[in-house]
């Protein structure tokens, strides 16, 4: 009865502060758990998404002029640029002073874009429904088309699944969650494509996993694998693509080769390309991992900083509030002793009310955070998955248990000392 009476008095007088504390604990649990989940997901995906040392690509079949998509200005190309765009990436590297002996496991493939095979055409009858659901997608953009044998060369080097196709089949590769769901619906409703009078049927009624360009996470929105027997016109070539490993054994040697793609000073390759106006884009394993680790570090720093600050602030407020209450209610514990309660019963009453006082906002925060974390993960589906949540929750539980538990223990011992009967 004494404990319930004490709690009743506190609920009536501390409802606002307890609400704020509950909110801060909710923020702490949600921020820590979701950020750690994102960090774990980034680490695991990064290893899979960077299987080789370098990807290089350049635009194929440059026209005499085109409009820059960013500035809107007309860009005019030279004869040398147009001729170079018809050649593979290795040709451009060699003719501009690059030593190809620094690379190994070199694989080059062309990537095609068939004008009539757009995203809208791939979606077929599902297009109208998809346009209502995802109005911002560029449905007129041609799909990336790759011959299955070309893809299998890269898949073998990447350690991915390889595929086979009959002459009238095609496969959709996609690993970006939202686009995968969209394409799966379309494949189930309409999986027939007609190109230059030849009809292709989807081999599977769902997307298969796969990619060719390295990245920090699963961002492939769609690649069409077609049989080698399908005649793809030369003018349909959209991109020349190269994958390779550095011909080096140590990290230091790889970093030296990396500089030939990154440093402009006294770099024969980059200087020659710049003079000719030839552009080769690309990405390397080292640069991707450095960028990803930088992002992960920022996420973890902010999460831990905010999470620990909220946790310490909540615990400190609860502790100070309880210590003040114990000091103000010292006379009540004296009365308990006078009516026959021994020291053990008095301490038990004190422990129970402090325990309930600490656990009530934490319990409410945990309930709220369950829904908060699910919402955060749904908003950041490309960065984290629910599979990565359990380890993050365990780490968050340990952090909260240590800090919150220490404050609880210190508060109990401090309050116990305050109400201790003077000898």
């Amino acid at each position: 009865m004494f404990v319930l009476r004490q709690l009743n008095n506190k609920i009536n007088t501390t409802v606002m502060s307890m609400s704020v504390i509950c909110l801060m604990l909710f923020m702490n649990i949600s921020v820590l758990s979701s950020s750690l989940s994102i960090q774990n997901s980034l680490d695991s995906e990064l290893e899979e998404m960077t299987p080789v040392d370098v990807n290089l690509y350049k635009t194929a079949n440059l026209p005499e002029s085109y409009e820059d998509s960013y500035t809107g200005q007309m860009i005019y190309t030279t004869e040398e640029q147009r001729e170079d765009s018809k050649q593979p990436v290795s040709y451009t590297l060699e003719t501009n002073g690059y030593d190809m002996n620094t690379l190994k496991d070199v694989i080059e493939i062309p990537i095609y874009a068939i004008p009539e095979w757009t995203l809208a055409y791939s979606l077929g009858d599902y297009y109208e429904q998809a346009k209502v659901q995802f109005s911002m997608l560029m449905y007129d953009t041609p799909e990336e088309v790759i011959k299955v044998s070309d893809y299998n060369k890269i898949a073998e080097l990447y350690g991915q699944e390889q595929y086979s196709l009959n002459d009238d089949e095609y496969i959709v590769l996609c690993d970006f969650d939202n686009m995968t769901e969209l394409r799966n619906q379309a494949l189930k409703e309409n999986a027939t494509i007609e190109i230059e009078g030849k009809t292709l049927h989807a081999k599977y009624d769902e997307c298969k996993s796969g990619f060719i360009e390295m990245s920090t996470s699963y961002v492939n929105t769609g690649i069409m694998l077609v049989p080698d027997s399908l005649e793809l016109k030369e003018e349909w070539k959209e991109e020349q693509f190269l994958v390779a490993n550095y011909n080096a054994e140590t990290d230091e040697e790889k970093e030296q080769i990396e500089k030939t793609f990154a440093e402009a000073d006294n770099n024969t390759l980059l200087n020659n390309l710049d003079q000719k106006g030839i552009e080769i884009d690309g990405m390397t394993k080292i640069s991707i991992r450095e960028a990803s680790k930088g992002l992960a570090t920022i996420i973890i720093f902010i999460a831990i900083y905010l999470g620990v600050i909220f946790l310490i602030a909540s615990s400190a407020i609860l502790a100070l509030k309880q210590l003040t209450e114990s000091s103000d209610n010292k006379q009540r514990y004296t009365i308990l002793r006078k009516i026959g309660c021994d020291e053990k019963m008095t301490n038990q009453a004190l422990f129970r009310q402090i325990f309930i006082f600490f656990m009530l906002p934490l319990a409410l925060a945990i309930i709220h955070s369950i829904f908060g974390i699910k919402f955060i993960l749904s908003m950041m589906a490309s960065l984290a998955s629910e599979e990565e949540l359990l380890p993050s929750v365990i780490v968050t539980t340990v952090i909260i248990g240590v800090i919150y538990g220490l404050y609880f223990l210190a508060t109990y011992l401090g309050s116990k000392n305050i109400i201790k009967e003077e000898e």
Side-chain angles (χ1 to χ4, degrees):
M1 291 177 64
F2 176 79
V3 171
L4 292 176
R5 181 62 180 173
Q6 289 288 90
L7 291 173
N8 183 58
N9 289 336
K10 290 179 181 179
I11 291 174
N12 291 333
T13 58
T14 62
V15 60
M16 184 59 69
S17 60
M18 291 288 279
S19 299
V20 173
I21 291 169
C22 182
L23 180 60
M24 287 195 293
L25 288 173
F26 160 72
M27 292 291 294
N28 166 60
I29 297 171
S30 300
V31 169
L32 268 180
S33 297
S34 56
S35 60
L36 290 174
S37 178
I38 291 172
Q39 193 267 339
N40 291 336
S41 182
L42 286 174
D43 287 344
S44 61
E45 290 182 7
L46 188 62
E47 186 67 28
E48 181 180 351
M49 300 303 295
T50 54
V52 294
D53 290 326
V54 62
N55 284 172
L56 297 175
Y57 47 88
K58 66 176 183 177
T59 302
N61 293 318
L62 283 173
E64 293 185 1
S65 63
Y66 61 93
E67 184 177 338
D68 189 281
S69 58
Y70 294 101
T71 63
Q73 297 179 341
M74 290 299 299
I75 304 296
Y76 297 92
T77 61
T78 64
E79 180 67 25
E80 184 177 17
Q81 290 173 327
R82 293 193 294 272
E83 286 300 318
D84 180 83
S85 69
K86 299 177 182 179
Q87 304 298 327
V89 176
S90 59
Y91 170 85
T92 305
L93 295 177
E94 288 180 316
T95 55
N96 288 279
Y98 185 77
D99 182 10
M100 289 296 293
N101 291 323
T102 60
L103 301 178
K104 64 180 181 179
D105 304 324
V106 178
I107 296 175
E108 294 186 83
I109 66 168
I111 300 175
Y112 296 85
I114 303 174
E116 61 265 29
W117 195 350
T118 61
L119 174 58
Y121 186 40
S122 292
L123 297 178
D125 297 336
Y126 190 69
Y127 167 60
E128 293 298 330
Q129 185 176 344
K131 190 166 60 173
V132 174
Q133 188 176 0
F134 302 98
S135 59
M136 300 302 292
L137 286 178
M138 301 176 67
Y139 293 97
D140 294 332
T141 304
E143 300 276 27
E144 287 189 358
V145 178
I146 301 176
K147 289 190 175 183
V148 66
S149 62
D150 288 338
Y151 173 78
N152 285 339
K153 296 175 187 176
I154 295 179
E156 182 179 7
L157 182 60
Y158 284 5
Q160 297 179 344
E161 182 181 357
Q162 300 179 49
Y163 300 100
S164 61
L165 287 171
N166 293 326
D167 290 343
D168 61 345
E169 294 177 333
Y170 74 96
I171 296 174
V172 181
L173 301 182
C174 182
D175 54 29
F176 187 69
D177 289 342
N178 290 338
M179 283 299 297
T180 299
E181 294 177 7
L182 181 66
R183 290 186 180 278
N184 285 344
Q185 288 292 334
L187 287 171
K188 290 173 182 177
E189 293 189 14
N190 179 25
T192 301
I193 298 293
E194 186 171 327
I195 301 297
E196 296 288 307
K198 186 168 185 177
T199 302
L200 300 177
H201 305 280
K203 183 173 183 177
Y204 305 101
D205 62 355
E206 63 180 10
C207 296
K208 307 301 287 185
S209 179
F211 66 94
I212 60 170
E213 293 186 10
M214 296 189 298
S215 63
T216 57
S217 58
Y218 301 106
V219 293
N220 173 30
T221 57
I223 296 174
M224 307 295 144
L225 298 187
V226 297
D228 293 345
S229 60
L230 183 65
E231 295 184 7
L232 299 177
K233 298 179 181 179
E234 191 68 25
E235 60 264 26
W236 289 347
K237 283 185 180 179
E238 180 187 45
E239 198 173 88
Q240 308 282 2
F241 187 70
L242 177 147
V243 301
N245 285 312
Y246 295 144
N247 192 9
E249 300 298 330
T250 65
D251 292 339
E252 291 75 14
E253 291 174 342
K254 290 183 177 182
E255 289 176 359
Q256 286 298 320
I257 299 176
E258 178 94 359
K259 292 179 181 179
T260 61
F261 296 108
E263 294 185 0
D265 296 338
N266 301 319
N267 189 313
T268 303
L269 171 65
L270 297 182
N271 289 336
N272 288 341
L273 292 177
D274 185 62
Q275 291 176 4
K276 298 176 182 179
I278 297 174
E279 295 184 3
I280 296 181
D281 295 317
M283 59 199 72
T284 66
K285 177 189 292 188
I286 294 175
S287 62
I288 291 174
R289 293 193 172 188
E290 287 178 350
S292 179
K293 288 180 179 179
L295 174 62
T297 301
I298 292 173
I299 291 174
I300 292 301
F301 174 78
I302 294 176
I304 292 178
Y305 177 78
L306 292 177
V308 172
I309 289 296
F310 285 144
L311 181 58
I312 291 176
S314 304
S315 303
I317 293 172
L318 285 170
L320 291 173
K321 185 72 175 174
Q322 183 59 41
L323 289 171
T324 303
E325 292 279 346
S326 297
S327 180
D328 294 341
N329 296 329
K330 183 177 180 180
Q331 187 62 32
R332 296 183 180 182
Y333 291 95
T334 302
I335 295 174
L336 279 181
R337 295 188 184 94
K338 289 181 178 180
I339 64 175
C341 294
D342 58 21
E343 199 66 25
K344 182 179 179 181
M345 293 180 65
T346 304
N347 291 336
Q348 285 180 346
L350 178 65
F351 179 87
R352 287 168 182 168
Q353 75 177 66
I354 294 177
F355 180 81
I356 295 174
F357 191 65
F358 267 76
M359 291 302 111
L360 184 59
L362 180 60
L364 291 173
I366 290 174
I367 294 172
H368 292 149
S369 64
I370 292 173
F371 301 95
I373 292 171
K374 285 186 176 181
F375 175 75
I376 293 173
L377 292 181
S378 66
M379 294 293 291
M380 299 184 176
S382 62
L383 294 178
S385 61
E386 292 187 4
E387 289 77 11
E388 304 292 341
L389 186 58
L390 182 58
S392 304
V393 171
I394 293 174
V395 174
T396 302
T397 302
V398 172
I399 294 174
I400 293 176
V402 171
I403 297 178
Y404 207 67
L406 287 175
Y407 269 93
F408 167 74
L409 183 60
T411 302
Y412 170 67
L413 294 177
S415 299
K416 182 179 176 180
N417 188 57
I418 289 174
I419 67 168
K420 186 177 180 181
E421 186 176 14
E422 297 180 0
E423 298 180 358

